[in-house]
DNA sequence: GACCTTATGTCAAGCGCTTGACATGTCAAA
DNA sequence: TTTGACATGTCAAGCGCTTGACATAAGGTC
């Protein structure tokens, strides 16, 4: 591959001159500029970004750590993040932590070594100090850690909305299935909002907590089956993610429980499949695209040494479909 | 951040010595090695991978270009690729081309500039010459271009299996919905295998081709609706992807067509949602994990200047579920 | 004519790391 | 004592690019 030096020689100027036209700095005559450009074309010159990163001390690279990109929620989120990041000139390095503490740690070290300009954390098995020792700008999804800026949807409000809709639909016996509450995630507020709202109406929902293993769907089905068998009178259910809701539909179908006639179901996230499911899922919609943009903007501003507010809670909306 | 020089000074040796212990080369006494390691720990030293990439002329970075990571097929594929790549020490840069020729071109340039060690192409809007000018190792998914190695499932066989199953189930009027055949993709062989098998039995399926826009699901529904209305007697349908099959289920449900009683449906890919759908989808399974590993291995060998075979067609299996 | 401004370039150090070439010391065998 | 084989380090060039510091020349202004 030709280097800047090769271009300079061929164009009959010095590397500084070539660098100047490359970076639009200093004074360069039109004719020189054109000649340099022509030579670059001729030689198929592509500036070596690695070398540039080294001198500029800026890699224009972002790291993103998530449980797995195969999960539709993270897939959609990452998609938005990559789209927006690339429009700002950033590249995206993805890291599937698989919710493994060790891997998460290794990825953090790797990202540091690669001098990424910032990291977006969507996987949270680590303790506070691990984050803090990271010197790069960080933004977190759905978790508040020390003084690291975070982005989340209004989880509490989402829970409230779900409760109110089930109540309005006349549900008498309500249940809730949520992820593992032992992880310190803001997503847990969905459950809080939901439960507290019901309690205001003197109702106590049956609550079931799932394991931390995002990948084991068969486990989901087992737990849901148990819930539905132990509480056959349940007529309203709030699942803390659309994936869980999909599993509920599946189990109900096998049990012959009709949705929404016998059981009304609400999910959370509004991933694309919520609408594609049969029946399509009523859900609490997170504004994923805005959340993604916000996260990238925060990193961008942090990288420019700006100080940014810590808390970024975006509004949710309820999307009514066929399950209610 | 401390540099190798800082470590050297603090440890009372030269940078060469530190570099040697970092890379395990040459002779280093146990005591020196330990001292250096201790100092690195103390200073929280992290070797600058950018600088290392520059001298080694090896970035240990792979680029992956796909239409969108939000699509579950690519999400799952990318997940496997990242998992395996990271086990070999590679990092993964993702690029969502959105099936946009211009973007695809820009990403290719970007990856070249960043001197990635290889690129995995899963998005194919570009013409042959664009690929060939790329000097890095490339591997392609589902497309044969010049002498670039490619990985795909046995698409033709998949089509045959689907046809045979529908026939065995006694379907009399069969239809097929496929992606856009104008793109030069190996996936088109699914349709070939399917149609040719039916013709051997003197049947001619109704075939509908979808647009190239992977993102416009509402378009899918419209087309499917039209097919089902124009051919109300269709009792067997092969969709060339599970996503399409999901849309079919949705439309059938709205039309009151019972699956599998009135219509038997087969998808392709076996993405996770195929099993989660209601009814769960019978589908042709691609061995995604092996395909992912194979692609990474190919890149790895290409990067080591090995020559590798061009064609890598992996076997498919049919997974029977509730839609047949 | 002296001085300033603007235009157009060149020089060379430095970013953090690797590595071939070279020096020095130690020790056992001849 | 000499020699050779290790063992343990150091020197310095180079990877490709950026950039502050420094020429040089051409016009303008007073």
């Amino acid at each position: 591959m030709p280097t800047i030096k090769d271009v300079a020689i061929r164009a009959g100027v010095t590397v500084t001159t070539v660098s100047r036209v490359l970076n639009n700095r200093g004074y360069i005559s039109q004719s020189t500029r054109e000649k340099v450009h022509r030579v670059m074309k001729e030689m198929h010159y592509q500036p070596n970004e690695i070398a540039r990163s080294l001198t500029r001390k800026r890699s224009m690279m972002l790291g993103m750590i998530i449980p797995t990109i195969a999960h539709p929620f993270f897939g959609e989120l990452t998609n938005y993040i990559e789209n927006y990041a690339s429009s700002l000139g950033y590249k995206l390095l993805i890291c599937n932590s698989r919710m493994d503490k060790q891997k998460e740690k290794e990825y953090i070290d790797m990202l540091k070594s690669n001098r990424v300009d910032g990291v977006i954390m969507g996987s949270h098995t680590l303790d506070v100090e691990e984050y803090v020792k990271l010197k790069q700008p960080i933004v977190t999804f759905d978790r508040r850690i020390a003084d690291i800026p975070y982005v989340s949807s209004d989880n509490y409000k989402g829970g409230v909305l779900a409760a109110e809709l089930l109540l309005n639909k006349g549900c008498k016996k309500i249940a809730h299935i949520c992820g593992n509450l032992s992880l310190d995630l803001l997503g847990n507020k969905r459950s809080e909002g939901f439960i507290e709202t019901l309690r205001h109406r003197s109702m106590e929902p049956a609550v079931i907590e799932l394991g931390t293993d995002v990948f084991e769907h068969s486990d989901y089905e087992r737990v849901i089956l148990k819930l539905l068998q132990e509480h056959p009178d349940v007529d309203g259910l709030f699942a803390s993610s659309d994936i869980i809701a999909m599993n509920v539909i599946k189990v109900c179908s096998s049990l012959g429980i009709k949705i929404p006639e016998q059981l009304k179901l609400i999910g959370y996230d509004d991933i694309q499949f919520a609408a594609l499911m049969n029946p399509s899922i009523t859900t609490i919609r997170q504004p994923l695209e805005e959340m993604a943009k916000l996260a990238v903007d925060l990193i961008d501003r942090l990288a420019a040494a700006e100080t940014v507010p810590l808390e970024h809670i975006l509004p949710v909306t309820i999307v009514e479909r066929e399950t209610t």
Side-chain angles (χ1 to χ4, degrees), chain A:
Chain A
M1 291 216 130
T3 70
I4 196 174
K5 201 168 166 187
D6 300 324
V7 173
I9 291 172
R10 176 107 157 234
V13 296
T14 64
V15 293
T16 309
T17 304
V18 178
S19 175
R20 287 230 196 295
V21 354
L22 219 44
N23 298 288
N24 268 315
R25 322 180 92 257
Y27 302 105
I28 294 286
S29 70
Q30 196 50 33
S31 67
T32 303
R33 185 186 308 278
E34 276 162 16
K35 184 170 55 188
V36 170
H37 272 133
R38 185 158 35 72
V39 172
M40 294 197 300
K41 275 257 157 61
E42 278 173 26
M43 307 182 80
H44 298 292
Y45 171 70
Q46 303 255 148
N48 183 327
E49 285 300 325
I50 296 182
R52 299 180 105 177
S53 296
L54 187 60
T55 41
R56 289 184 178 155
K57 292 168 165 314
R58 191 94 201 264
S59 65
M60 292 312 280
M61 197 130 67
L62 263 30
M64 172 140 194
I65 305 184
I66 52 179
T68 166
I69 190 75
H71 190 293
F73 175 78
F74 291 109
E76 291 179 31
L77 180 64
T78 305
N79 181 48
Y80 288 126
I81 287 190
E82 198 280 328
N83 286 165
Y84 187 57
S86 85
S87 79
L88 297 186
Y90 288 107
K91 300 139 247 167
L92 228 215
L93 225 40
I94 51 157
C95 310
N96 293 307
S97 74
R98 304 159 161 223
M99 295 295 253
D100 175 336
K101 223 167 182 149
Q102 188 52 35
K103 280 203 146 236
E104 217 172 278
K105 212 177 273 186
E106 286 169 14
Y107 275 126
I108 286 186
D109 281 345
M110 183 276 271
L111 292 176
K112 278 185 75 168
S113 287
N114 282 277
R115 304 296 192 266
V116 296
D117 290 347
V119 0
I120 298 176
M121 287 290 302
S123 176
H124 300 295
T125 59
L126 253 35
D127 301 320
V128 178
E129 61 271 21
E130 298 287 341
Y131 291 84
V132 179
K133 79 174 190 192
L134 189 61
K135 282 291 168 289
Q136 270 83 0
I138 325 183
V139 167
T140 272
F141 268 100
D142 266 333
R143 183 164 173 193
R144 177 181 357 214
I145 300 172
D147 53 353
I148 296 174
Y150 64 91
V151 174
S152 83
S153 66
D154 192 343
N155 289 290
Y156 189 89
K157 179 74 179 304
V160 172
L161 289 176
E164 286 173 350
L165 182 62
L166 291 182
L167 255 9
N168 287 345
K169 294 280 179 178
C171 296
K172 299 298 178 210
K173 177 66 190 178
I174 294 179
H176 175 46
I177 303 182
C178 57
N180 193 286
L181 298 176
S182 71
L183 292 175
D184 174 29
L185 297 177
L186 293 169
N188 296 346
K189 289 187 181 295
R190 296 171 196 179
S191 305
E192 269 181 48
F194 184 72
I195 295 171
E196 287 179 10
T197 304
L198 291 181
R199 284 192 184 145
H200 277 175
R201 309 281 196 96
S202 315
M203 284 183 93
E204 189 65 33
V207 175
I208 292 262
E209 202 173 317
L210 296 172
T212 48
D213 191 346
V214 204
F215 310 104
E216 206 36 79
H217 286 193
S218 63
D219 189 52
Y220 281 21
E221 287 192 31
R222 202 176 40 70
V223 173
I224 294 166
L225 189 64
K226 182 154 164 275
L227 170 72
L228 259 23
Q229 283 173 335
E230 286 178 3
H231 302 275
D233 52 339
V234 164
D235 60 358
L237 200 160
F238 173 40
S240 69
S241 79
D242 289 336
I243 298 283
I244 296 176
M246 291 175 78
N247 279 279
V248 171
I249 291 177
K250 188 144 186 53
V251 173
C252 284
S253 158
S254 74
L255 252 34
I257 299 176
K258 295 232 178 318
I259 298 178
E261 295 78 2
Q262 293 169 261
L263 175 75
K264 307 218 184 300
L265 173 66
I266 302 181
Y268 201 107
D269 290 340
D270 195 23
I271 57 176
Q272 286 174 29
F273 289 99
L276 253 188
M277 198 52 189
N278 182 36
S280 58
I281 302 173
T282 291
T283 191
I284 308 295
R285 174 171 212 281
Q286 303 200 49
L288 264 196
E289 183 163 8
E290 287 119 275
M291 290 167 72
K293 282 190 176 175
L294 184 51
V296 174
D297 270 332
L298 287 173
I299 291 281
D300 192 47
R301 292 168 57 190
L302 248 19
E306 281 183 49
T307 51
V308 302
L310 282 186
E311 188 176 272
H312 300 272
I313 297 183
L314 277 71
V316 294
T317 48
I318 194 159
V319 182
E320 288 198 55
R321 298 207 180 87
E322 299 168 356
T323 57
T324 47

